Amino acid sequence: MLPNDANSVNNRIISDIRSANAGLNRTAALVDLSMQLYKKLKDGADARHLIVEAFALVDEAVFRTFGFRAFDVQIEAGIALFDGKLIEMNTGEGKTLTAVFPAYLSALARKGVHILTANDYLARRDAEWMNPVYKNLGVSVGFIQEGMQKQARREAYNCDITYVTAKEAGFDYLRDCLCYETNEIVHRPFHYAIIDEADSIMIDEARIPLVIAARTDTRFDGYEYILEIVDSFIPGHDFNTDDHSRNVFITDAGIEKAERYFGCDNLYDNRKSSLLSRINFALHANTLLKRDVDYIVNDGQIELIDEFTGRVAEKRHWPDGLQAAVEAKEGLPTKQDGRIMNTITMPDFIRLYPGLAGMTGTAMTSADEFLEVYGLDVVSVPTNKPCVRTDDPDIIFATKDAKYKALVEDVVSVHSTRRPILIGTCSIAESELIADMLSECGVKCIVLNAKNDEYEAEIIADAGSLSAVTVSTNMAGRGTDIRLGGASEKDKCLVSELGGLFVIGTNRHESVRIDNQLRGRAGRQGDPGSTRFYVSMEDGLMQKYYSDNKNRLRQRVKQDKPQKDMQQMKKEIIRAQQEAENQNREIRRTLGKYAEITETHRKIILKKRKEAFTMIPRELSLWEGEATSREDLVSELGLDGYERLKRSVALHFIDLGWADYLEQAACIKDGIHLVRIAGQQPLEQYLFRVSEAFEEMNAGMCAAIIDTIRGLKASKNGVNVPEKLLKGPSATWTYMLNDDPFNNDLGLMLASTRNIGFTAWAATFSFASPIMVFSMLYKRIKGRRHVG
């Protein structure tokens, strides 16, 4: 919540806005009044001093467009956004309209405002929805969609306000960083951004870097043969998984079986490293990645599922070897290998905006992280009407079967009253299972998951209709309100009398925010509603994070009866969520520290690239020589042509050197956590090794540029220059990389500078632990020889 002094200031501003609005000439053209504000700003006025006039104009434009005025709480939220805050605003309170107020005032600077959304649908919908308001104010608005051509993107970014997904804006930025000509760039310099669904974009996707890659001639093939041997592996004998099923480990027995199958002596020989890596990828794909849970197969393509939303994670895939293993597992052709040309994390990209604000329905639980990572204070905005939703206590079971049985019985009972029901599940498989169980009981339902997400808005809009039963993954809850009585609200009174929307959660999630998002689907704008979670001790959260006394507690729970009053169980659920969130937060913090040095190096390279891109190379210290046949080249190409050629050479080797560096940094990161075993600090070693790699790359890059430029020659057939030196990569694609090198507990413990859990882990093995680990590594990497 805002402190009292801030509340009083905002109340005074809101009062002034209402007074200014009442004093407006109702026949005056708002565009003319808007131009007056623009001139004041251009003449040096402080934008903060124009907030009353600007917000009054927006409120009037909203009234002339839609016939209603913004709520006071929306204006209060708009003030907070303009002040660079991150606002928590409940579902249905009108975040889309709220963003228009600060976006308009910031757009008067004519430097561009980006409203970063969670998906293409919201970008297009919000831009088209608010366009009449902006038009009344003389402000241009555009939006970006995946697949848009470069010229259309440039035009959209040149608008005063641009609605675009965070990932598309990031991908366009990475593409711009590989351009060879000015007319290829689509972005303007960044100015101000409002992040919609901020928790999803800024927290949940913080571990997933944006990547632009170029095709290579290599291909990840042969997995069909590797899968044959992996399919024959016996769990517990040939491989083991950790307690949380986050990682899989091949045993000596599995290694011996694979060596006999492939007819080789030692898979740990350096010459067999590629084969061993593919075996591990295949084992990971076969054992840990589940269809309709982690991914779906659609039109012959593997599509990853976002663990937080349940949606298809567009343009996202695993590291190439693992991606190829999953494709082979599903009988799909593997694609060409790709080489990463540039990459940036979502936090680093978002921090490129000098002005930043955000909004979401769930932020307070991550307030510390928003402040630490982005420097944003979180402000909770009160609801326009009091929330009357009822949040029932969790119902806890020992087994999933008992949970599902009770859940279905309750749904059948509530459905008989015609009250609308929304059931939130954790996976596609679970949503389809519950839908089948309901169907067997004669309850018709609509299933919404990643297999039919194109119908999301339509399905969610009618989820509040009489007798509606909607079974959905976590995707239900981003950008579309559930209105009681359906989209037209024709039966709103009747549905309200029945108690409003009944929201059921089939699991507690690792993040409390996800639970709160699901709860927020009910109780919109003061509507009645209720929520309830059904939990079992076999759920993923409990299996991963349950404490050692779970067997004792399990014995106290009847197999088929709900335990509504088991306080100890409820405490265990809270503790499990806290542990999960703490661990995920620490993973993000650790990965952020490792990404920081790469981001520093990226900025150095980007500066060199901009110098080469915008200045004459001969004026830079980077190029200390001219071509030996400079006069012939100038005669052949002209001075401008000769300078463009030198620029292209420089850009080519800068991009090539940066790609080499990224590849080497990734290799260093993959195994850096093991230095902890030798008593060294992984982060310190990583910084040292990566910095050393960068210096070597930088020196080699500069030498290659100079040598190549000096070697340029002209002949009677023209200038013989390889085409690759004259333009960027011919085929590139973008994606978000699910690549966490510390995705197992041991790796995180060893890599973290805070050494999470390492003390306890070491104490378990006492002084023998390092010896055991070194023995294992030595045996597997150096000492094994078998007769195949």
Side-chain angles (χ1 to χ4, degrees):
M1 297 292 293
L2 285 170
N4 290 332
D5 55 345
N7 267 324
S8 62
V9 171
N10 281 351
N11 290 337
R12 186 170 64 252
I13 293 175
I14 292 171
S15 177
D16 291 343
I17 290 170
R18 295 304 187 195
S19 298
N21 184 277
L24 281 175
N25 183 343
R26 299 305 178 194
T27 63
L30 297 182
V31 173
D32 294 339
L33 298 175
S34 182
M35 282 302 299
Q36 293 176 22
L37 288 184
Y38 165 69
K39 290 177 181 177
K40 288 181 181 179
L41 197 63
K42 189 176 180 181
D43 291 340
D46 187 338
R48 176 73 188 184
H49 295 160
L50 302 179
I51 194 168
V52 171
E53 296 172 81
F55 279 33
L57 283 182
V58 173
D59 194 47
E60 178 65 18
V62 170
F63 180 75
R64 294 188 186 185
T65 304
F66 300 122
F68 60 80
R69 297 196 182 278
F71 302 134
D72 284 359
V73 291
Q74 289 177 305
I75 295 177
E76 179 182 347
I79 295 170
L81 288 172
F82 186 74
D83 286 340
K85 309 294 186 184
L86 194 147
I87 62 167
E88 181 180 81
M89 199 172 183
N90 281 10
T91 299
E93 293 295 308
K95 289 188 288 291
T96 302
L97 179 59
T98 294
V100 175
F101 288 86
Y104 163 70
L105 180 49
S106 299
L108 288 177
R110 299 295 192 257
K111 296 180 180 179
V113 172
H114 292 176
I115 299 181
L116 303 180
T117 67
N119 57 61
D120 272 0
Y121 165 74
L122 293 178
R124 183 184 69 253
R125 186 204 69 177
D126 292 354
E128 292 176 344
W129 187 10
M130 294 297 117
N131 185 46
V133 177
Y134 292 124
K135 189 174 181 180
N136 273 333
L137 297 167
V139 174
S140 60
V141 61
F143 61 89
I144 302 291
Q145 299 282 276
E146 184 179 356
M148 266 188 175
Q149 296 301 309
K150 185 167 289 187
Q151 182 58 32
R153 289 175 181 268
R154 187 180 299 107
E155 291 173 359
Y157 284 126
N158 281 333
C159 290
D160 297 316
I161 298 171
T162 307
Y163 287 80
V164 55
T165 65
K167 66 175 184 294
E168 280 300 307
F171 289 145
D172 283 334
Y173 170 75
L174 291 179
R175 291 189 192 98
D176 284 351
C177 290
L178 291 176
C179 287
Y180 275 39
E181 300 293 341
T182 304
N183 60 10
E184 295 176 354
I185 296 175
V186 299
H187 270 301
R188 289 191 282 171
F190 293 149
H191 171 53
Y192 175 69
I194 299 173
I195 318 294
D196 192 13
E197 305 297 356
D199 58 329
S200 174
I201 294 171
M202 302 171 77
I203 301 294
D204 296 341
E205 294 188 356
R207 289 162 54 181
I208 308 172
L210 305 173
V211 172
I212 186 166
R215 297 201 182 280
T216 66
D217 295 330
T218 61
R219 184 182 295 273
F220 285 99
D221 52 13
Y223 272 107
E224 59 273 19
Y225 305 108
I226 295 173
L227 284 168
E228 288 182 7
I229 184 63
V230 168
D231 285 337
S232 71
F233 280 0
I234 301 171
H237 181 263
D238 298 318
F239 70 90
N240 292 306
T241 57
D242 61 20
D243 290 340
H244 296 164
S245 295
R246 289 180 171 182
N247 213 337
V248 60
F249 311 93
I250 190 169
T251 65
D252 283 345
I255 288 292
E256 291 171 4
K257 182 181 288 188
E259 287 171 345
R260 288 194 299 270
Y261 181 84
F262 291 107
C264 61
D265 290 338
N266 182 11
L267 274 175
Y268 287 99
D269 187 292
N270 286 337
R271 291 169 295 180
K272 302 295 182 183
S273 60
S274 177
L275 176 58
L276 179 59
S277 175
R278 295 187 185 202
I279 292 173
N280 280 312
F281 279 136
L283 184 59
H284 187 108
N286 235 27
T287 307
L288 302 183
L289 299 179
K290 308 297 182 184
R291 183 169 177 167
D292 290 342
V293 176
D294 301 296
Y295 66 92
I296 62 173
V297 179
N298 185 26
D299 292 333
Q301 303 285 331
I302 298 292
E303 295 183 339
L304 275 64
I305 303 301
D306 187 291
E307 62 183 303
F308 296 102
T309 67
R311 289 187 176 97
V312 166
E314 297 177 358
K315 286 192 171 184
R316 192 184 299 178
H317 70 61
W318 294 289
D320 289 321
L322 182 57
Q323 183 81 14
V326 176
E327 290 168 344
K329 170 187 173 182
E330 297 296 341
L332 303 174
T334 57
K335 299 178 178 61
Q336 282 180 300
D337 185 12
R339 189 180 197 200
I340 295 177
M341 300 300 295
N342 207 353
T343 181
I344 191 171
T345 66
M346 188 61 74
D348 285 328
F349 170 69
I350 290 173
R351 287 192 291 255
L352 294 175
Y353 289 90
L356 188 63
M359 53 187 187
T360 181
T362 49
M364 293 305 295
T365 55
S366 300
D368 291 344
E369 191 166 359
F370 281 118
L371 182 60
E372 176 186 348
V373 178
Y374 300 98
L376 293 178
D377 290 315
V378 176
V379 173
S380 180
V381 179
T383 57
N384 184 54
K385 296 179 181 179
C387 179
V388 297
R389 184 187 70 229
T390 301
D391 295 326
D392 297 332
D394 294 355
I395 303 181
I396 305 169
F397 300 85
T399 66
K400 283 186 177 182
D401 288 343
K403 177 183 72 172
Y404 291 144
K405 179 181 177 183
L407 185 153
V408 169
E409 288 176 354
D410 285 355
V411 170
V412 171
S413 175
V414 174
H415 178 64
S416 67
T417 69
R418 303 187 68 194
R419 184 183 179 187
I421 302 169
L422 172 67
I423 304 171
T425 67
C426 68
S427 69
I428 296 172
E430 187 179 51
S431 67
E432 294 178 344
L433 171 65
I434 291 176
D436 290 341
M437 294 177 69
L438 290 174
S439 180
E440 291 175 1
C441 295
V443 176
K444 294 182 179 179
C445 62
I446 295 178
V447 178
L448 172 60
N449 57 40
K451 291 183 177 180
N452 63 343
D453 60 353
E454 66 268 29
Y455 304 111
E456 176 183 354
E458 179 182 344
I459 292 173
I460 289 299
D462 285 328
S465 302
L466 278 172
S467 300
V469 178
T470 307
V471 182
S472 172
T473 53
N474 296 329
M475 63 199 312
R478 291 294 188 187
T480 304
D481 291 337
I482 298 178
R483 300 176 182 272
L484 299 189
S488 63
E489 299 185 280
K490 64 176 182 178
D491 297 316
K492 180 175 182 177
C493 292
L494 183 54
V495 172
S496 296
E497 291 175 0
L498 293 172
L501 181 67
F502 181 32
V503 173
I504 292 175
T506 63
N507 298 263
R508 282 288 192 167
H509 300 90
E510 291 190 8
S511 172
V512 176
R513 288 185 293 101
I514 306 299
D515 292 341
N516 291 340
Q517 287 164 13
L518 182 58
R519 287 194 191 279
R521 307 318 300 156
R524 171 189 172 274
Q525 277 290 326
D527 289 340
S530 61
T531 68
R532 181 183 299 159
F533 282 84
Y534 291 73
V535 183
S536 88
M537 295 174 62
E538 294 179 341
D539 292 346
L541 174 72
M542 307 306 289
Q543 290 296 307
K544 285 184 180 180
Y545 298 102
Y546 207 12
S547 64
D548 293 336
N549 63 353
K550 63 181 178 181
N551 291 329
R552 178 173 57 82
L553 287 173
R554 183 187 294 272
Q555 293 171 2
R556 292 173 52 192
V557 182
K558 295 180 180 179
Q559 293 295 306
D560 58 350
K561 298 294 183 182
Q563 304 296 310
K564 297 183 180 180
D565 57 349
M566 289 190 64
Q567 294 302 317
Q568 182 62 34
M569 288 290 296
K570 294 174 183 177
K571 290 179 181 178
E572 285 295 328
I573 293 172
I574 294 173
R575 187 206 58 76
Q577 286 187 309
Q578 289 175 341
E579 183 179 337
E581 290 191 334
N582 289 339
Q583 187 176 108
N584 287 328
R585 187 181 298 112
E586 188 62 33
I587 290 174
R588 290 192 293 268
R589 184 180 287 115
T590 299
L591 292 176
K593 291 176 181 177
Y594 281 80
E596 187 175 344
I597 185 65
T598 302
E599 178 62 11
T600 299
H601 291 158
R602 190 189 68 81
K603 289 178 179 177
I604 294 172
I605 286 294
L606 184 61
K607 182 180 179 182
K608 292 188 179 223
R609 202 179 193 285
K610 285 184 176 178
E611 289 174 347
F613 193 85
T614 59
M615 299 174 66
I616 299 174
R618 65 186 176 194
E619 297 178 356
L620 304 176
S621 60
L622 184 60
W623 298 276
E624 298 175 351
E626 295 285 359
T628 54
S629 57
R630 180 183 185 280
E631 293 184 3
D632 293 339
L633 288 168
V634 171
S635 175
E636 179 73 24
L637 302 173
L639 181 59
D640 289 343
Y642 170 62
E643 298 297 345
R644 281 197 300 271
L645 176 58
K646 291 204 298 182
R647 182 184 66 186
S648 295
V649 170
L651 292 174
H652 170 79
F653 283 107
I654 289 173
D655 294 343
L656 185 63
W658 181 240
D660 288 341
Y661 163 82
L662 290 176
E663 187 174 335
Q664 190 168 356
C667 290
I668 294 171
K669 187 189 291 184
D670 283 344
I672 198 65
H673 57 277
L674 294 176
V675 304
R676 171 76 76 178
I677 301 170
Q680 297 175 321
Q681 290 289 337
L683 181 58
E684 291 179 3
Q685 287 297 309
Y686 179 77
L687 296 179
F688 172 76
R689 297 181 188 184
V690 168
S691 296
E692 192 175 57
F694 181 78
E695 292 303 322
E696 292 177 359
M697 177 277 294
N698 191 42
M701 174 192 73
C702 293
I705 292 171
I706 293 170
D707 290 346
T708 302
I709 290 176
R710 286 177 174 172
L712 291 174
K713 295 185 181 298
S715 66
K716 62 181 180 180
N717 296 321
V719 181
N720 187 18
V721 181
E723 186 179 356
K724 66 181 181 180
L725 296 180
L726 303 179
K727 60 181 181 179
S730 58
T732 62
W733 72 99
T734 55
Y735 56 90
M736 300 175 73
L737 186 61
N738 268 30
D739 187 15
D740 177 5
F742 315 124
N743 63 355
N744 61 80
D745 294 336
L746 176 60
L748 177 62
M749 289 188 298
L750 297 179
S752 173
T753 55
R754 294 176 61 184
N755 205 15
I756 307 172
F758 184 73
T759 303
W761 179 79
T764 302
F765 295 100
S766 188
F767 294 105
S769 178
I771 300 173
M772 291 171 59
V773 175
F774 275 120
S775 174
M776 176 187 70
L777 293 175
Y778 181 80
K779 177 182 178 183
R780 291 197 166 188
I781 299 175
K782 297 292 184 182
R784 300 186 71 256
R785 285 292 183 270
H786 297 290
V787 177

